[in-house]
Amino acid sequence: MIKTVKFGGSSLASAEQFRKVKAIIERDADRRYVVVSAPGKRFPGDDKITDLLYRCQALRAQGLSFDAAYKTIAERFIGIRDGLGLKLCIEAELDEIRSRIEAGTTPDFAASRGEYLNAKLLSAYLGFDFLDATELIRFRDDGTFDDDATALRAGVLTAHERAVIPGFYGRRRNGMIRTFSRGGSDITGAIVAKLSASDVYENWTDVSGFLMTDPRIVPDAKVIETVTYSELRELSYMGASVLHEDSIFPVRKARIPIHVLNTNDPEASGTMIVPDSMATDKEHQRPITGIAGRRGYTVITLTKDNLHNDLGFAYRLMGILARNGISAERMPSGIDTISLVIDDKRLIGRMDQLYHDIMVECSPDTVEIASCIALIASVGIGMVRNPGVAAKLFTALSAAEVNARLIDQDSNEMNIIVGVEQRDFERAVEAIYRAFA
Ligand code: ASP
């Protein structure tokens, strides 16, 4: 069995955390490929090394001194090395990075050095090879990730029996360093898992898995033991977050499960994210896997008598949206109504034109605009097999005195979306959670 393991910034924020990571890796000889983030926060209010590196580069670009920020970075890395009693000399590398920033390097190069140095430290500490991400992860010159060129690098990875690889960056064809978006070490981990044909991709963080709903709303929310890739996609689209969204694609395609685990509580079972085809009866019998939601939507409802006989009404409406550069999240419809659910951000500065175009080209009988709407998605692949899920959900909402302004269900029957007024948002999420947890 081969396992790719990725450790996030808080898992590698100090010498003490490095010790936990080593113990985890040494407990299982299958953990052969290790992807790391830069050192993160040790305590609330602490600095992340990546933020400090960006700050150094930005200060330099403005002609300002970055000495203080760089000193903090150097001290963090030297503190980890000395705390672990490692003999590795990193002073020369630190000086070299400093000179590159001084000479006016790119933000991507500066930011990437956090992962680079952390991988150097961990490889020395574990006795694993260091394999630079520039050897594996390739970007096109326009900055987009180059899947094909990266796939060709699999042999470079598997030539190593065990290796530590920095997350977050790779290189463009022209040799320049390029990073993913923030949190992108998760993506590197997924790519390494795919290149090494790992049986599982373990993503070690500081939470004991993926919670059934937002703990800021339900503090005692339970951990989800198993979630499928499609369920996770729906939940993260609606605001739930544990992993970088783009880290799902490489492993999902390769049908590799992701195991989300906690470095500070390694015995906790965490959450398994599995391809839909690997879901067992247990998952199919569970009506709701998770509940996620977001505020900040506007619902525009158009009514027109005999709408269903007005050929091309929806076509004209879609044309208006496309022309105005607006995409609708959802479009629930009835016999004589169509509603557009639109993220408020997409409407900024565009509402008047949109309204005008709808009136001229669609001639609806009425248009109703409701703003300050929150959407709540209750997601579960088991919904389709379990009768009464919607009844239970709406009973819970009505008992909590929440008025559902909009109801929509995906055709794959994995998702019930309810639109509520923003002021009812938390109450609604909690009511649904209590009904199904
Ligand atoms: N260190 C990078 C960041 O802070 C990437 C990562 O941690 O995944 O965004």
Side-chain angles (χ1 to χ4, degrees):
M1 188 178 280
I2 303 178
K3 292 182 179 172
T4 292
V5 291
K6 181 256 163 180
F7 289 89
S10 58
S11 300
L12 289 164
S14 63
E16 191 194 340
Q17 292 298 86
F18 267 64
R19 280 190 207 100
K20 294 184 193 168
V21 167
K22 186 175 194 207
I24 290 168
I25 292 170
E26 290 184 344
R27 207 171 300 145
D28 184 347
D30 295 334
R31 295 184 172 130
R32 287 173 43 190
Y33 299 111
V34 184
V35 174
V36 301
S37 283
K41 295 185 184 196
R42 293 159 293 180
F43 44 82
D46 193 18
D47 285 310
K48 282 182 166 194
I49 291 293
T50 310
D51 292 335
L52 289 172
L53 286 162
Y54 276 123
R55 195 180 309 156
C56 288
Q57 191 278 337
L59 286 168
R60 176 67 195 93
Q62 293 164 48
L64 300 170
S65 162
F66 61 89
D67 286 350
Y70 200 75
K71 190 163 168 262
T72 312
I73 296 170
E75 281 171 2
R76 286 281 298 271
F77 281 114
I78 289 173
I80 294 173
R81 181 199 59 192
D82 294 348
L84 298 173
L86 286 173
K87 292 282 163 277
L88 187 73
C89 175
I90 52 170
E91 281 77 356
E93 302 245 35
L94 283 164
D95 285 348
E96 157 82 15
I97 297 166
R98 195 186 190 297
S99 318
R100 294 279 300 262
I101 299 175
E102 185 66 55
T105 190
T106 59
D108 282 19
F109 176 81
S112 72
R113 296 304 88 186
E115 272 68 12
Y116 172 82
L117 285 173
N118 230 17
K120 284 255 156 147
L121 286 174
L122 188 65
S123 68
Y125 187 46
L126 293 173
F128 283 20
D129 296 343
F130 168 82
L131 175 58
D132 200 348
T134 49
E135 297 291 321
L136 297 179
I137 311 290
R138 292 294 155 91
F139 290 87
R140 298 182 192 91
D141 284 342
D142 66 4
T144 54
F145 172 60
D146 191 338
D147 206 354
D148 297 330
T150 302
L152 295 176
R153 310 296 297 167
V156 175
L157 175 67
T158 52
H160 296 264
E161 181 63 22
R162 297 178 184 280
V164 179
I165 303 121
F168 191 36
Y169 70 94
R171 80 167 171 82
R172 298 181 197 235
R173 276 185 208 153
N174 63 14
M176 283 179 71
I177 294 278
R178 166 80 177 148
T179 63
F180 290 110
S181 56
R182 295 300 304 266
S185 300
D186 281 345
I187 310 175
T188 311
I191 296 166
V192 168
K194 185 175 165 197
L195 292 180
S196 60
S198 283
D199 298 275
V200 60
Y201 167 30
E202 290 182 349
N203 191 299
W204 291 83
T205 64
D206 53 7
V207 292
S208 291
F210 200 87
L211 299 178
M212 203 173 149
T213 195
D214 189 338
R216 284 166 301 186
I217 303 177
V218 181
D220 60 342
K222 286 190 202 155
V223 171
I224 306 174
E225 263 174 52
T226 308
V227 59
T228 71
Y229 276 114
S230 332
E231 288 174 326
L232 186 70
R233 171 112 182 93
E234 301 275 348
L235 290 166
S236 24
Y237 187 72
M238 285 302 287
S241 73
V242 169
L243 302 175
H244 191 298
E245 237 196 285
D246 293 343
S247 66
I248 304 295
F249 298 107
V251 270
R252 179 178 186 167
K253 243 195 199 156
R255 300 174 41 77
I256 300 169
I258 307 179
H259 198 176
V260 179
L261 290 152
N262 187 351
T263 304
N264 302 320
D265 184 10
E267 301 309 324
S269 52
T271 298
M272 233 7 189
I273 307 166
V274 299
D276 294 40
S277 56
M278 281 192 198
T280 62
D281 278 355
K282 197 167 161 208
E283 284 83 55
H284 284 292
Q285 273 153 18
R286 173 183 61 189
I288 300 262
T289 306
I291 303 143
R294 279 213 301 227
R295 299 161 184 275
Y297 291 95
T298 293
V299 181
I300 304 174
T301 303
L302 316 180
T303 62
K304 188 169 186 178
D305 273 349
N306 232 353
L307 179 82
H308 61 292
N309 281 329
D310 182 346
L311 273 184
F313 186 93
Y315 177 75
R316 292 196 298 280
L317 195 55
M318 299 299 278
I320 295 170
L321 289 173
R323 218 172 45 234
N324 284 282
I326 298 170
S327 70
E329 301 283 323
R330 320 201 67 86
M331 280 184 65
S333 61
I335 308 172
D336 290 330
T337 65
I338 290 191
S339 298
L340 303 171
V341 183
I342 303 172
D343 189 329
D344 285 346
K345 288 194 279 306
R346 299 185 201 270
L347 284 173
I348 298 171
R350 295 184 170 137
M351 190 64 190
D352 292 346
Q353 186 66 42
L354 177 67
Y355 183 78
H356 170 267
D357 292 354
I358 289 176
M359 294 314 273
V360 172
E361 292 172 47
C362 297
S363 329
D365 297 337
T366 64
V367 178
E368 194 193 307
I369 300 174
S371 49
C372 299
I373 297 291
L375 292 187
I376 301 168
S378 302
V379 176
I381 50 162
M383 199 175 280
V384 66
R385 291 205 194 167
N386 286 279
V389 176
K392 195 165 169 187
L393 192 150
F394 290 109
T395 308
L397 288 181
S398 116
E401 293 181 11
V402 174
N403 179 25
R405 296 288 303 259
L406 166 137
I407 300 165
D408 196 15
Q409 183 168 30
D410 278 353
S411 41
N412 58 14
E413 273 201 66
M414 202 176 62
N415 205 346
I416 298 176
I417 306 276
V418 183
V420 300
E421 298 203 3
Q422 280 182 180
R423 59 167 189 265
D424 293 337
F425 176 57
E426 271 95 3
R427 203 151 26 96
V429 169
E430 167 139 38
I432 301 173
Y433 175 82
R434 300 274 171 233
F436 290 97

